[in-house]
Amino acid sequence: MRKPVDKVNQKPSGTVGDVFDAIHSIMHLYRTQQFRAFAGGEHELTHMESKVLRFFARQPGATLSDLVAHSGRDKAQLTRLIKGLRERGLLDASADEADRRSTRLNLSEAGAALHGQLHHVGAALSGVALDGISEAEREQLYALLQRVRANLAGEGEP
């Protein structure tokens, strides 16, 4: 069986670079379509803002330091991002009872509603993306992507 040929570059497709280009392209299309649903609305979000909302939805009461450790992003960038989300009423802050220097962050009611909408749109897009792919193929794809993730995290088999 011959390998498919990339008609643009006239080379066999499926090379290591092609795999990661495809993963990147898929995620770019997914995020673009997800955020298009909110474009021009009351709560237009950037990709990074949605990631911050998702983090605090999964880790209620976490701190800025927790987010920095989780994301590996610059603390100053995340401070500005959180400030903007708080000003827009999407995040609530409260002093940590054990350490008054620390601030605990939670989704506000509006932030939780927006996070729910993001999740709903994402689920619908996932359905579109996986249309025509059997359950067995989905399981195989998931297993392969988990192996790639484990390899990059240094968790692969020796």
Side-chain angles (χ1 to χ4, degrees):
M1 181 169 168
R2 277 180 13 145
K3 285 190 123 188
V5 174
D6 176 342
K7 300 292 183 197
V8 174
N9 298 312
Q10 295 298 310
K11 64 178 183 169
S13 59
T15 64
V16 172
D18 291 337
V19 170
F20 284 94
D21 285 346
I23 290 169
H24 174 78
S25 176
I26 289 165
M27 286 311 301
H28 181 72
L29 283 168
Y30 177 87
R31 295 288 180 221
T32 298
Q33 291 181 29
Q34 185 179 34
F35 293 117
R36 189 175 297 146
F38 297 93
E42 178 185 359
H43 292 298
E44 194 166 348
L45 289 176
T46 66
H47 174 63
M48 203 52 211
E49 289 171 332
S50 74
K51 288 176 82 166
V52 170
L53 289 180
R54 189 175 326 120
F55 174 79
F56 289 110
R58 292 180 179 162
Q59 306 289 327
T63 65
L64 169 63
S65 295
D66 296 330
L67 178 60
V68 169
H70 171 79
S71 69
R73 298 283 182 151
D74 178 64
K75 185 176 181 178
Q77 175 194 24
L78 292 174
T79 299
R80 287 188 301 275
L81 215 150
I82 287 172
K83 180 181 181 216
L85 291 171
R86 288 181 63 194
E87 288 171 352
R88 290 165 52 198
L90 299 173
L91 281 179
D92 289 331
S94 59
D96 185 319
E97 305 232 350
D99 180 1
R100 292 279 178 194
R101 297 169 298 169
S102 215
T103 301
R104 298 283 169 184
L105 297 157
N106 291 287
L107 295 182
S108 66
E109 191 174 309
L114 184 58
H115 178 262
Q117 291 172 352
L118 278 168
H119 182 75
H120 178 73
V121 169
L125 282 171
S126 295
V128 169
L130 297 174
D131 186 40
I133 298 175
S134 72
E135 187 64 33
E137 290 170 322
R138 290 176 190 194
E139 289 174 10
Q140 181 182 23
L141 176 60
Y142 180 73
L144 290 169
L145 290 171
Q146 287 300 95
R147 280 181 37 202
V148 170
R149 189 207 56 77
N151 289 343
L152 288 173
E155 302 167 3
E157 294 180 26

